[in-house]
């Protein structure tokens, strides 16, 4: 499998100045129309189709669009290999990064026996081995998905619904466009605003080590993966019209409508080049810039039952001193800790399985270790989740 080659390859951190640009992908100095064109026209095999009544769609617009165009199975229940292949073809997504994210979803919210996960709600697992139905990422609050998402409401503030787009929140993002386009800076500012809103309004707001980093990374996904590209603008550009297509929003700016589950890859759209995939190193560089500019957005902790009561966790205590409050904000450390914490949590997440869980733990290591090796992460052998007991949101599972 191609994504398992060169597992020890070190991917260097990108200089921050390279990642500060106003476009989406960075360092894309060349453009190949034939390689980057995403053909969703008639006869392509990737024509748009509305999801069927049993197809899964969830909180991630990029995943929903990929399934609606058959880059992921239209069922919304992919394997690791289907995730890797589909996201690379649709978006130029890094293969090792996609594999790691898929295996975390499988172990935390999916079917580790059948090695499948759902981009939306519950699905039927393979026979035997599971004591409960896999919930999918739509019901993975504070395990895979989290509060302070891009255009969706915190689950506690919306009757447990963290999947539906809140049109006024989308409008807030749409109104931030400058000359009809979005930049990484705009999305970072939006991320900070959503974080601050959650702290001020959600007594159950919680930022877990892995799930809590998903919204910051997702904000960067918007520009890095949804931007269109051309010979004149090889770094990419994201317009309001393209953003609306990916988020299933129609109508004029003053009368927006969310069309649930109908996210689309636009016509005449060119993804980032395969020579410059959005991989873990680039995500780590993005998070490092965000942490420097808005450190509160990547803190681990939460509100303690009342609004504006955010309390940070002593990261040194829960990691045996491998990280601390300062070093967590440096380089790739926030992303390292996120993946390592998810990996450490796997044995607990497998409590719903019968039989030997050793092979599944080995599977997780097989796909996460290449990412943590590439990020040059320090070894993490201690992870004490007891520090999260003070946060009511940590155990909130709508």
């Amino acid at each position: 499998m191609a994504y398992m080659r060169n597992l020890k390859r070190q991917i260097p951190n990108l200089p921050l100045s390279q990642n500060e640009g106003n476009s989406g992908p960075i360092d894309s100095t060349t453009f190949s129309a034939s390689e980057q064109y995403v053909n969703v026209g008639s006869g392509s095999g990737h024509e748009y189709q509305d999801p069927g009544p049993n197809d899964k769609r969830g909180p991630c617009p990029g995943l929903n669009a990929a399934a609606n165009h058959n880059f992921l199975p239209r069922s919304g229940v992919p394997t690791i290999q289907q995730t890797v292949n589909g996201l690379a073809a649709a978006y130029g997504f890094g293969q090792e990064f996609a594999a790691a994210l898929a295996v975390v979803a499988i172990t935390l919210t999916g079917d580790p026996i059948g090695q499948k996960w759902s981009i939306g709600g519950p699905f039927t697992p393979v026979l035997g081995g599971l004591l409960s139905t896999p919930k999918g990422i739509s019901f993975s609050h504070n395990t895979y998905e989290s509060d302070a998402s891009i255009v969706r409401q915190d689950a506690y503030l919306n009757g447990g619904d963290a999947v539906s787009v809140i049109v006024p929140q989308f409008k807030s993002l749409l109104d931030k466009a400058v000359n009809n386009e979005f930049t990484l800076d705009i999305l970072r500012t939006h991320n900070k605003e959503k974080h601050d809103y959650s702290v001020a309004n959600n007594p159950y707001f919680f930022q877990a080590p892995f799930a809590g980093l998903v919204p910051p990374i997702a904000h960067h996904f918007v520009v890095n993966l949804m931007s269109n590209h051309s010979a004149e603008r090889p770094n990419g550009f994201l317009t309001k019209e393209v953003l609306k297509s990916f988020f299933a929003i129609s109508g004029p700016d003053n009368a927006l409508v969310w069309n649930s589950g109908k996210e689309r890859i636009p016509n005449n759209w060119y993804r980032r080049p395969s020579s410059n995939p959005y991989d873990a190193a680039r995500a780590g560089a993005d998070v490092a810039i965000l942490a420097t500019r808005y450190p509160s957005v990547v803190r681990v902790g939460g509100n303690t039952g009342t609004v504006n009561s955010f309390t940070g966790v002593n990261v040194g205590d829960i990691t045996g001193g491998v990280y601390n409050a300062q070093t967590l904000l440096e380089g790739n450390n926030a992303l390292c800790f996120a993946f390592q914490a998810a990996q450490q949590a796997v044995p607990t997440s497998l409590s719903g399985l019968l039989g030997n869980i050793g092979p599944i733990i080995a599977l997780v290591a097989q796909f996460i270790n290449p990412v943590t090796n590439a990020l040059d992460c320090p070894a993490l052998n201690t992870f004490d989740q007891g520090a999260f007991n003070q946060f009511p949101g940590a155990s909130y599972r709508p």
Side-chain angles (χ1 to χ4, degrees):
M1 293 181 287
Y3 56 91
M4 290 303 295
R5 297 173 187 157
N6 302 319
L7 299 188
K8 300 297 182 181
R9 175 175 54 89
Q10 296 294 311
I11 303 176
N13 292 335
L14 300 173
L16 299 189
S17 60
Q18 289 183 311
N19 210 22
E20 290 280 10
N22 289 331
S23 61
I26 54 177
D27 296 337
S28 298
T29 57
T30 60
F31 172 75
S32 169
S34 60
E35 197 274 327
Q36 293 174 241
Y37 178 54
V38 180
N39 185 0
V40 295
S42 177
S44 67
H46 296 293
E47 302 90 343
Y48 172 83
Q49 290 182 17
D50 284 348
N54 297 317
D55 294 336
K56 310 303 178 184
R57 300 295 184 266
C60 177
L63 294 175
N64 291 347
N68 287 340
H69 287 277
N70 201 34
F71 286 101
L72 296 178
R74 294 191 186 274
S75 66
V77 183
T79 64
I80 297 173
Q81 185 71 64
Q82 289 169 333
T83 305
V84 168
N85 293 346
L87 297 186
Y91 301 115
F93 201 90
Q95 295 184 358
E96 290 177 355
F97 196 20
L101 291 172
V103 80
V104 172
I106 285 169
T107 53
L108 297 183
T109 75
D111 176 7
I113 304 297
Q115 296 184 20
K116 291 187 175 184
W117 62 290
S118 167
I119 69 173
F123 65 100
T124 302
V126 299
L127 295 177
L130 292 181
L131 296 177
S132 59
T133 299
K135 293 184 176 181
I137 66 171
S138 289
F139 298 94
S140 63
H141 190 63
N142 287 330
T143 55
Y144 197 87
E145 294 289 336
S146 184
D147 295 326
S149 69
I150 303 167
V151 295
R152 303 172 201 272
Q153 184 61 280
D154 289 2
Y156 183 79
L157 299 178
N158 200 33
D161 177 6
V163 175
S164 298
V165 168
I166 306 301
V167 172
Q169 294 191 15
F170 182 88
K171 180 67 162 55
S172 175
L173 173 59
L174 198 70
D175 288 345
K176 292 181 174 68
V178 176
N179 297 324
N180 197 47
E181 294 184 11
F182 299 90
T183 66
L184 287 169
D185 281 347
I186 288 173
L187 268 296
R188 289 173 183 138
T189 298
H190 185 75
N191 190 178
K192 178 63 161 59
E193 290 178 2
K194 289 299 301 287
H195 170 273
D196 291 350
Y197 174 89
S198 293
V199 172
N201 290 276
N202 182 3
Y204 274 36
F205 178 57
F206 178 63
Q207 291 184 164
F210 179 83
L213 202 62
V214 169
I217 294 176
H219 276 79
H220 290 92
F221 281 175
V222 169
V223 175
N224 280 292
L225 299 178
M226 295 180 180
S227 290
N228 206 347
H229 300 77
S230 67
E232 295 75 21
R233 301 184 66 179
N235 276 343
F237 57 99
L238 178 60
T239 64
K240 293 165 68 172
E241 292 73 24
V242 168
L243 185 78
K244 289 166 72 173
S245 180
F246 273 113
F247 276 82
I249 299 290
S250 60
D253 290 0
N254 62 353
L256 300 171
V257 176
W258 175 51
N259 307 287
S260 176
K262 297 185 179 182
E263 294 84 353
R264 301 180 71 134
I265 296 174
N267 294 324
N268 302 314
W269 186 78
Y270 296 79
R271 61 164 170 78
R272 64 186 296 141
S274 298
S275 59
N276 179 36
Y278 193 74
D279 55 18
R282 287 169 172 81
D286 276 332
V287 171
I289 293 171
L290 182 71
T292 299
R293 192 169 300 171
Y294 304 123
S296 64
V297 176
V298 298
R299 286 186 300 174
V300 178
N303 281 343
T304 56
T306 59
V307 299
N308 289 315
S309 61
F310 191 96
T311 301
V313 169
N314 187 324
V315 179
D317 287 347
I318 66 175
T319 65
V322 172
Y323 301 104
N324 59 45
Q326 180 59 41
T327 60
L328 191 64
L329 303 178
E330 298 172 353
N332 292 323
N333 285 343
L335 192 58
C336 283
F337 181 44
F339 274 108
Q340 290 170 321
Q343 187 171 5
Q344 293 279 344
V346 164
T348 301
S349 72
L350 297 180
S351 60
L353 288 177
L354 296 173
N356 180 17
I357 65 173
I360 299 172
I361 294 176
L363 176 75
V364 173
Q366 176 187 1
F367 290 102
I368 290 185
N369 286 353
V371 170
T372 55
N373 288 345
L375 295 173
D376 197 21
C377 299
L380 178 66
N381 298 314
T382 299
F383 179 54
D384 179 11
Q385 300 185 72
F388 303 149
N389 294 337
Q390 62 184 303
F391 306 113
S395 58
Y396 178 56
R397 301 284 185 270

